[in-house]
């Protein structure tokens, strides 16, 4: 199954967001997961669409979990709309990024439009995706597009250049590949499986917007991801975004800083999961000392306990510029929505034109402005610059990728069969 076969030309569908009538270029059969569990539903009830409610706060009240489960009798189809590092630049991705704490509220906003029965958001440093179930593909797509355009303050014309849409079997297959680590920048990386698992858990929370279809889909994807990692060697020796950042800085240290990596003074801003992974890979390279800058001391102190062989110097954000001034390489990995470092701030703090400085930003939204590269002594890299580093990783894993896809196909077929069985039972009971 090829993903390209499921990508719908957005130009025709997105026109409906502006009041134009568009004809869907995709047709859906029973394999499109038209889940119909209510034997009393008429054919018109199973196919009739729901008007799009304007995103002006006047949408219908949030559905209860029971209402979402009952909506499974209305002929739901599974879809995914999103963008990733493969389709969009970090400048666009960061505008759509949603913190995990807000995944459920964003999903609820989508369901409140009235065109979408179930929704779940997955937002990471490399992708932003909305999984949803609806009866009318065009109306649902228009509602999602309107919402994303409004939230990100991006014109629909720009979104059209970056978004992809997959429906039914292709949407299922895409999520399986995502959970299996095959759609990641770093093939086989494990963090995405944890993120898909969180997406599933949030969707079934009391304030989540996942119903019968999406909860089953996400659960199946998590199971698929676990199988891939336990039954193949796809993750053996694989690297994460954090380790790719370490490899990039190690590879370019001599060229950019005229300094061996082993002698570089290192600092990291932030003390979350990405920083923990950074320390893991730096420690494997013999790291002895590093400075961590954070808003509070608790998380850095916990990291220091986890790496007893590394001397961790903890600083608060008030000391950020002193730390940057004394470091050769600074990694940034915070959830801040604004730049922590840019050209103007470097100039204000007397760091323009001084000793060479490398900034490696693995956060989305970005923590470091690209204009830092305008300074003669500064080189700044972000997640998009890691592609060249991980290309070798993908080439070395072709055999494992084929084995993984075979397993994913089994899980994908299992979910699609579940959807068709519901339809069959409904038909027999009619």
């Amino acid at each position: 199954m090829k993903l390209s076969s499921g990508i719908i030309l957005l130009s025709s569908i997105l026109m409906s967001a502006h009041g134009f009538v568009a004809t869907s270029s995709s047709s859906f059969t029973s394999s499109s997961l038209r889940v119909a569990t209510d034997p009393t539903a008429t054919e018109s009830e199973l196919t009739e669409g729901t008007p799009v409610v304007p995103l002006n706060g006047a949408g219908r009240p949030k559905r209860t979990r029971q209402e979402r489960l009952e909506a499974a009798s209305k002929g739901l189809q599974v879809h995914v709309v999103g963008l990733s590092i493969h389709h969009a630049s970090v400048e666009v991705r960061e505008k759509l990024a949603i913190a995990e704490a807000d995944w459920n509220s964003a999903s609820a906003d989508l369901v409140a439009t009235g065109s979408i029965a179930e929704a779940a958001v997955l937002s990471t440093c490399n992708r932003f995706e909305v999984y949803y179930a609806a009866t009318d593909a065009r109306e649902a797509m228009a509602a999602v597009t309107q919402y994303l355009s409004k939230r990100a303050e991006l014109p629909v014309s720009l979104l059209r250049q970056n978004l992809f849409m997959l429906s039914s079997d292709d949407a299922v297959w895409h999520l399986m590949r995502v959970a299996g680590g095959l759609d990641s920048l770093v093939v086989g990386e494990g963090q995405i499986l944890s993120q898909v698992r969180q997406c599933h858990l949030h969707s079934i929370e009391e304030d989540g917007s996942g119903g019968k279809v999406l909860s089953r889909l996400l659960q199946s994807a998590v199971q698929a991801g676990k199988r891939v990692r336990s039954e193949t060697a796809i993750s053996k020796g694989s690297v994460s975004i954090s380790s790719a950042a370490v490899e990039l800085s190690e590879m370019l240290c001599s060229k950019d800083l005229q300094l061996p990596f082993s002698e570089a003074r290192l600092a990291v801003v932030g003390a979350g999961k990405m920083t923990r992974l950074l320390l893991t890979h730096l420690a494997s390279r013999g790291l002895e000392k590093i400075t961590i800058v954070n808003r509070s001391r608790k998380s850095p102190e916990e990291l220091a306990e986890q790496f007893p062989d590394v001397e961790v110097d903890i600083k608060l954000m008030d000391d950020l510029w002193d730390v940057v001034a004394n470091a050769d390489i600074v990694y940034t990995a915070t959830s801040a929505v604004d730049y922590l470092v840019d050209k103007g701030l470097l100039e204000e703090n007397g760091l323009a034109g001084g000793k060479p400085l490398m900034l490696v930003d693995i956060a989305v939204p970005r923590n470091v402005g690209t204009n830092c590269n305008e300074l003669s002594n500064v080189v700044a890299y972000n997640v998009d610059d890691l592609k060249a580093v991980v290309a070798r990783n993908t080439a070395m894993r072709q055999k494992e990728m084929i084995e993984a896809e075979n397993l994913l196909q089994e899980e994908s077929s299992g979910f699609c069969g579940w959807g068709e069985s519901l339809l069959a039972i409904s038909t027999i009971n009619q």
Side-chain angles (χ1 to χ4, degrees):
M1 183 181 301
K2 296 182 180 178
L3 286 179
S4 59
S5 66
I7 298 180
I8 295 178
L9 295 177
L10 296 182
S11 57
S12 62
I13 296 177
L14 293 179
M15 288 173 64
S16 61
H18 293 288
F20 295 97
V21 176
T23 301
S24 173
S25 62
S26 177
S27 61
F28 305 101
T29 62
S30 60
S31 65
S32 301
L33 299 186
R34 288 184 176 277
V35 181
T37 58
D38 183 358
T40 65
T42 66
E43 181 176 354
S44 61
E45 288 174 333
L46 291 176
T47 59
E48 182 178 357
T50 304
V52 177
V53 178
L55 295 179
N56 57 2
R60 67 173 59 174
K62 184 182 184 322
R63 297 181 181 186
T64 64
R65 178 166 300 282
Q66 183 60 34
E67 289 174 331
R68 289 198 301 275
L69 292 176
E70 291 175 354
S73 67
K74 300 299 183 181
L76 296 182
Q77 299 173 2
V78 175
H79 310 278
V80 57
V81 171
L83 45 78
S84 72
I85 196 169
H86 304 301
H87 311 94
S89 66
V90 65
E91 288 85 0
V92 176
R93 298 200 310 275
E94 67 186 1
K95 289 183 179 296
L96 288 173
I98 298 177
E100 184 177 335
D102 298 323
W103 287 2
N104 279 358
S105 62
S107 299
D109 289 341
L110 289 166
V111 171
T113 65
S115 298
I116 297 169
E118 304 175 17
V121 169
L122 175 63
S123 182
T124 74
C125 63
N126 283 330
R127 70 180 64 250
F128 171 83
E129 296 175 349
V130 178
Y131 293 88
Y132 61 96
T135 57
D136 189 304
R138 289 182 295 169
E139 289 186 357
M141 179 59 187
V144 173
T145 305
Q146 290 176 30
Y147 174 79
L148 297 182
S149 176
K150 181 178 179 180
R151 182 183 180 91
E153 298 182 348
L154 289 174
V156 172
S157 59
L158 180 57
L159 283 177
R160 287 172 60 181
Q161 299 172 25
N162 295 276
L163 286 178
F164 68 86
M165 176 184 177
L166 298 168
S167 293
S168 56
D169 291 3
D170 291 318
V172 174
W173 179 240
H174 173 73
L175 179 56
M176 295 296 171
R177 295 188 83 253
V178 168
L182 301 189
D183 195 61
S184 297
L185 174 62
V186 182
V187 174
E189 59 100 356
Q191 190 173 13
I192 186 61
L193 177 57
S194 174
Q195 292 162 335
V196 172
R197 179 175 180 273
Q198 288 302 111
C199 181
H200 171 239
L201 293 177
H202 286 309
S203 74
I204 61 177
E205 291 172 343
E206 186 58 35
D207 63 341
S209 297
K212 190 171 188 176
V213 176
L214 283 189
S215 61
R216 179 65 176 256
L217 172 61
L218 290 166
Q219 183 181 41
S220 297
V222 172
Q223 176 62 30
K226 290 180 178 178
R227 283 194 64 191
V228 164
R229 286 162 179 80
S230 64
E231 298 179 33
T232 76
I234 193 71
S235 61
K236 184 178 180 180
S238 67
V239 293
S240 63
I241 294 299
S242 296
S243 65
V246 172
E247 184 177 343
L248 176 74
S249 55
E250 183 179 32
M251 180 174 64
L252 298 177
C253 189
S254 296
K255 179 178 75 70
D256 292 340
L257 305 179
Q258 293 77 53
L259 187 71
F261 185 71
S262 59
E263 297 178 11
R265 293 169 294 181
L266 309 181
V268 57
V269 184
K273 295 179 181 178
M274 299 294 275
T275 296
R276 178 177 58 79
L277 292 172
L278 272 172
L279 291 180
T280 298
H281 296 291
L282 287 170
S284 70
R285 285 167 165 77
L287 173 70
E288 297 179 354
K289 181 177 181 179
I290 193 169
T291 300
I292 298 179
V293 183
N294 198 51
R295 290 175 298 179
S296 64
R297 297 185 61 88
K298 181 180 179 181
S299 294
E301 288 174 348
E302 292 175 351
L303 287 173
E305 293 178 359
Q306 295 176 34
F307 297 91
D309 296 331
V310 178
E311 180 184 346
V312 178
D313 186 15
I314 301 173
K315 298 290 186 181
L316 299 181
M317 291 302 293
D318 290 342
D319 296 318
L320 173 63
W321 295 108
D322 288 336
V323 172
V324 174
N326 290 314
D328 298 305
I329 301 175
V330 178
Y331 304 94
T332 57
T334 81
S335 58
V337 296
D338 297 318
Y339 291 149
L340 298 178
V341 181
D342 62 17
K343 177 183 177 182
L345 291 171
L346 287 169
E347 290 174 334
E348 289 178 16
N349 288 276
L351 298 178
K355 68 176 182 62
L357 173 65
M358 180 187 294
L359 302 172
V360 184
D361 183 13
I362 57 175
V364 176
R366 289 172 295 173
N367 293 161
V368 178
T370 55
N371 61 2
C372 291
N373 284 309
E374 297 174 11
L375 299 176
S376 60
N377 65 309
V378 178
V379 287
Y381 301 101
N382 59 46
V383 291
D384 283 1
D385 296 309
L386 302 180
K387 293 180 180 179
V389 175
V390 301
R392 293 172 297 175
N393 175 271
T394 302
M396 294 170 58
R397 298 181 184 283
Q398 293 302 317
K399 180 177 179 294
E400 287 81 3
M401 290 176 67
I402 293 174
E403 294 177 356
E405 287 195 334
N406 290 335
L407 290 176
L408 293 176
Q409 187 61 61
E410 292 178 12
E411 296 293 333
S412 179
S413 297
F415 174 78
C416 293
W418 169 79
E420 292 182 356
S421 69
L422 292 182
L423 178 62
I425 293 172
S426 174
T427 301
I428 292 173
N429 290 334
Q430 287 183 353

